[in-house]
Amino acid sequence: MPTRIKELRARDGLTQQQLADKVQVRRETIVFLEKGKYNPSLKLAFEISQVFAMSIEEVFGLGTD
Amino acid sequence: MSKNSCSLFLVPILALCVIGGFAFYLLEYEPMLSFKMIAIIVIALLVLAVPVYRSIQNARDKQKNIPLEDEMSRLLEIHAGAYAFRYSMMSWFAIFAFRSKFPDSEEMLGIGIMAAAAIYGLTWLYFKRNGIPHADQN
């Protein structure tokens, strides 16, 4: 699944570890999410979207197809 | 005590028990080390190194308030377990196919159990490095 996490993290000046701490996951999970190698649960997708104050569709590119 | 805190204590204790048991066995029954015995000890220590390494990592993460497990790490363990089970079955078939090569059944069982543990450790490391199969598809 394509995501904009890396781009949004750079926009907000967050490191992978800082984002991981905010959503209470391990840094590796953020790494795999950014690489598109892992589809998050709805709960995690929602929490990440909340960190960036955006909707899930905007962060995870669900509306791009 | 949570499951994770429990594992932080249990893994080093279990590792010490295994090493102690080996040391006792060697001193008592095999004072003259053969090449075969050294090979078994090396494999056992390698198998043991994975949970001990993970336990040390977990202790460090706990100090930094990093969650010890999350949804992806749980999925990683489930997938690694499932794949390791499949490959372990194959290794058991291979071991039984060559059972005449083993002098006794205890040695055959010991090698099979260590191989199963090693397969799980390697599968877990491989998926942790390269990603969980099909985890990017729903």
Side-chain angles (χ1 to χ4, degrees):
Chain A
M1 184 199 285
T3 77
R4 293 175 58 206
I5 294 176
K6 194 172 183 177
E7 173 199 333
L8 296 169
R9 229 176 14 85
R11 184 198 70 185
D12 293 359
L14 286 172
T15 63
Q16 288 174 334
Q17 188 61 62
Q18 284 168 334
L19 177 59
D21 291 343
K22 279 179 187 281
V23 293
Q24 281 294 295
V25 294
R26 295 179 65 84
R27 192 181 67 85
E28 298 93 57
T29 305
I30 303 296
V31 173
F32 278 97
L33 280 171
E34 288 186 357
K35 287 182 181 170
K37 284 186 173 180
Y38 174 62
N39 280 358
S41 66
L42 187 58
K43 179 176 174 282
L44 179 57
F46 183 71
E47 285 172 352
I48 290 172
S49 305
Q50 277 199 321
V51 169
F52 297 121
M54 295 171 93
S55 66
I56 291 178
E57 294 96 312
E58 286 172 310
V59 177
F60 290 93
L62 294 173
T64 55
D65 290 336
Chain B
M1 187 183 279
S2 73
K3 180 190 149 205
N4 290 325
S5 308
C6 196
S7 73
L8 284 179
F9 288 104
L10 272 180
V11 171
I13 290 169
L14 282 174
L16 277 175
C17 287
V18 173
I19 291 168
F22 251 124
F24 176 77
Y25 175 81
L26 291 174
L27 289 172
E28 198 69 22
Y29 300 105
E30 304 252 356
M32 298 295 286
L33 282 179
S34 61
F35 174 75
K36 188 183 80 184
M37 205 60 208
I38 292 170
I40 290 173
I41 292 168
V42 169
I43 294 169
L45 286 177
L46 285 175
V47 168
L48 214 61
V50 175
V52 171
Y53 169 76
R54 282 189 64 190
S55 183
I56 293 167
Q57 283 271 352
N58 286 348
R60 281 186 190 155
D61 288 349
K62 201 175 164 72
Q63 278 181 342
K64 293 178 193 167
N65 271 335
I66 295 171
L68 299 186
E69 61 173 18
D70 61 12
E71 61 179 52
M72 201 191 78
S73 66
R74 279 190 287 270
L75 193 68
L76 176 70
E77 287 197 1
I78 291 167
H79 273 257
Y83 275 75
F85 178 76
R86 187 190 299 172
Y87 298 134
S88 294
M89 289 294 285
M90 292 175 192
S91 79
W92 278 113
F93 282 127
I95 286 169
F96 276 108
F98 293 102
R99 64 181 178 276
S100 60
K101 304 277 182 200
F102 297 96
D104 54 53
S105 57
E106 283 172 6
E107 193 172 292
M108 191 177 81
L109 284 173
I111 288 171
I113 290 166
M114 277 196 275
I119 289 168
Y120 175 73
L122 290 172
T123 316
W124 183 84
L125 280 174
Y126 179 81
F127 289 158
K128 189 176 167 66
R129 184 175 284 263
N130 297 300
I132 305 162
H134 316 301
D136 56 345
Q137 300 154 15
N138 275 339

